[in-house]
Amino acid sequence: MENTKAAIVRTKAKEQKKQDKYYYASQWSLMLRKFRKHKLAMASTILLIFFYITAIFGGFVAPQGTEQYDGRYVNCGPTPVHWFHDGRFIGPFVYGLKTERDPETFMLMFAEDTEAVYRIRFFQPGSAYKLFGLIPSSIHLFQAEGDGAVFLFGTDGMGRDLFSRVVLGAQISLFIPVAGMLLTLVLGLFMGSLSGYFGGWVDTVIQRLVEVVRSFPQVPLWMALSAAIPKTLKPAQVFMLMTLILSLISWPDLSRVVRSKFISVKKEDYIMAARISGAPVNKVITRHMIPSFTSYIIVNMTMSIPGLIIGETTLSFLGLGLRSPATSWGVLLQETNKLETIMFYGWKLIPMLFVFLTVLAFNFMGDGLRDAADPYK
């Protein structure tokens, strides 16, 4: 009997401790707890983490560099990876490739030569690259031995490995939007805080500027600004200019939200107390006002990245952004604007799948963060 009562007491103590931990938890703890319950958002976050890690180690993961090509394998379809040869398990390998004519279209096609077996070796030397842009290396995740060729996503019209170009293109297509988002965040917070805190003629001038920027159609404005980028610039310089272009167009929406938040928050008692006590304006804004809606800022940042990804892809697809030999998902999709490509070389649409998955994952993650921002809901 006493053991039963003790067990009941321990159970009630655990429940009380759990409730206390919930009610006394910080805002970030509550957000994280709510976010973990959003299964779709968690799956999207894991997918995005995988994409970004792959992009960071792109030179290692990609079997080839962006400038490597082989004229023998122009418009070659994806090469299947096999594990059994003649009924015997020998590990991952690919067969050799031979060319033949399609009897109906007379197009040059590639077929497997089952007499030539090339095993796939891991951590093999290959083309030179710089890990993180700093550390020279030539080790790649996998390579086919000898004269074998591994084209997981096929090749393009110049015989370049599409898988390698997708992986290396992610370094630009995934990080330009992040850099643009950070610059947009700085501009939006700065302009919105000035407008909402001071009001008066400062608010009037900034809001008229916002209306002017928002009145331009977005895609034509992107195209006009991108067309002004000289073609002689290096890829890194184009990267910075594209980031600047995307940021200059995206900040007005965030600034208006920040302005409305400032107008409502600056009348709160703790803000008035800080101002009366003589705290400098910059400390009132950065230590009291902005932290009061930090959760919303994080959600806004996450939801703005898909638009920037689509913007970079659109500009590069139209030939107004990055140009070969620089690689991004938009550059890879330039070949898909021909009907011939869609009809006969469908694998060249694979980069579109990664754009779709990334945008969808960011939207789902943003949706989860938006729900988690109100943990008591």
Side-chain angles (χ1 to χ4, degrees):
M1 190 69 176
E2 292 181 358
N3 292 336
T4 304
K5 290 183 178 180
I8 293 174
V9 170
R10 285 195 299 268
T11 302
K12 289 183 177 180
K14 288 181 180 180
E15 292 179 354
Q16 185 63 40
K17 186 177 180 180
K18 187 176 180 180
Q19 290 179 359
D20 292 343
K21 186 177 179 180
Y22 176 78
Y23 288 114
Y24 292 103
S26 65
Q27 181 184 6
W28 297 109
S29 299
L30 294 173
M31 284 184 63
L32 182 60
R33 184 179 301 180
K34 186 76 176 288
F35 183 75
R36 286 176 176 173
K37 294 180 180 180
H38 200 299
K39 295 182 179 179
L40 200 55
M42 284 297 297
S44 299
T45 303
I46 293 171
L47 179 65
L48 289 173
I49 291 173
F50 173 74
F51 280 175
Y52 274 94
I53 291 176
T54 303
I56 291 171
F57 295 93
F60 167 72
V61 175
Q64 298 182 6
T66 56
E67 298 182 6
Q68 282 186 273
Y69 67 94
D70 193 332
R72 297 174 299 172
Y73 302 114
V74 173
N75 293 326
C76 175
T79 53
V81 177
H82 303 276
W83 297 81
F84 294 88
H85 178 64
D86 290 338
R88 183 168 58 91
F89 177 82
I90 62 173
F93 70 93
V94 293
Y95 288 117
L97 297 173
K98 59 183 179 180
T99 57
E100 56 185 28
R101 292 285 177 180
D102 188 291
E104 296 183 0
T105 62
F106 298 102
M107 293 181 61
L108 191 65
M109 308 293 291
F110 290 89
E112 291 183 327
D113 181 4
T114 55
E115 299 297 325
V117 176
Y118 301 100
R119 295 191 180 187
I120 297 176
R121 303 295 186 183
F122 295 93
F123 305 105
Q124 296 296 304
S127 60
Y129 63 91
K130 287 187 177 181
L131 191 64
F132 311 121
L134 300 172
I135 307 172
S137 178
S138 61
I139 302 299
H140 294 263
L141 179 61
F142 63 91
Q143 296 274 358
E145 61 183 4
D147 295 329
V150 184
F151 303 128
L152 298 181
F153 294 165
T155 65
D156 62 8
M158 293 182 63
R160 296 174 293 192
D161 178 32
L162 192 57
F163 172 78
S164 299
R165 302 195 76 204
V166 167
V167 171
L168 296 173
Q171 294 177 334
I172 290 178
S173 293
L174 292 180
F175 285 100
I176 275 185
V178 172
M181 177 269 296
L182 293 175
L183 188 53
T184 298
L185 177 66
V186 173
L187 289 173
L189 286 176
F190 179 73
M191 302 297 283
S193 61
L194 289 179
S195 181
Y197 188 86
F198 292 104
W201 66 269
V202 176
D203 182 35
T204 302
V205 171
I206 293 177
Q207 292 310 304
R208 298 298 79 77
L209 178 61
V210 167
E211 291 170 1
V212 169
V213 175
R214 296 190 69 207
S215 64
F216 288 101
Q218 195 172 60
V219 175
L221 184 57
W222 277 342
M223 294 172 63
L225 292 174
S226 297
I229 298 177
K231 296 182 179 180
T232 56
L233 293 181
K234 297 179 180 180
Q237 295 172 323
V238 177
F239 179 98
M240 296 304 298
L241 288 175
M242 287 191 64
T243 301
L244 182 62
I245 288 170
L246 295 174
S247 303
L248 290 175
I249 299 171
S250 305
W251 68 267
D253 291 334
L254 177 60
S255 71
R256 281 203 161 179
V257 173
V258 172
R259 171 183 176 269
S260 64
K261 295 287 185 181
F262 266 59
I263 291 175
S264 61
V265 169
K266 73 179 182 180
K267 298 179 182 179
E268 296 290 337
D269 293 340
Y270 68 96
I271 299 297
M272 296 299 295
R275 295 173 66 180
I276 292 172
S277 65
V281 174
N282 62 326
K283 289 187 177 181
V284 173
I285 292 176
T286 57
R287 293 189 179 182
H288 300 287
M289 301 186 76
I290 292 179
S292 65
F293 55 93
T294 304
S295 59
Y296 173 82
I297 293 175
I298 294 174
V299 173
N300 184 275
M301 289 164 56
T302 306
M303 299 295 283
S304 66
I305 290 178
L308 296 175
I309 291 176
I310 293 174
E312 183 280 324
T313 303
T314 302
L315 291 177
S316 298
F317 173 76
L318 296 174
L320 297 172
L322 292 163
R323 303 174 182 88
S324 188
T327 303
S328 72
W329 291 342
V331 173
L332 297 180
L333 290 173
Q334 286 181 2
E335 287 195 44
T336 62
N337 59 4
K338 300 176 182 178
L339 183 61
E340 175 189 2
T341 300
I342 299 175
M343 291 178 61
F344 301 110
Y345 312 120
W347 60 85
K348 294 184 182 181
L349 294 171
I350 289 177
M352 186 182 298
L353 175 64
F354 285 91
V355 175
F356 172 77
L357 289 176
T358 303
V359 171
L360 199 64
F362 268 114
N363 282 327
F364 284 141
M365 187 175 74
D367 187 56
L369 286 172
R370 184 174 54 195
D371 293 343
D374 186 10
Y376 293 104
K377 184 176 178 181

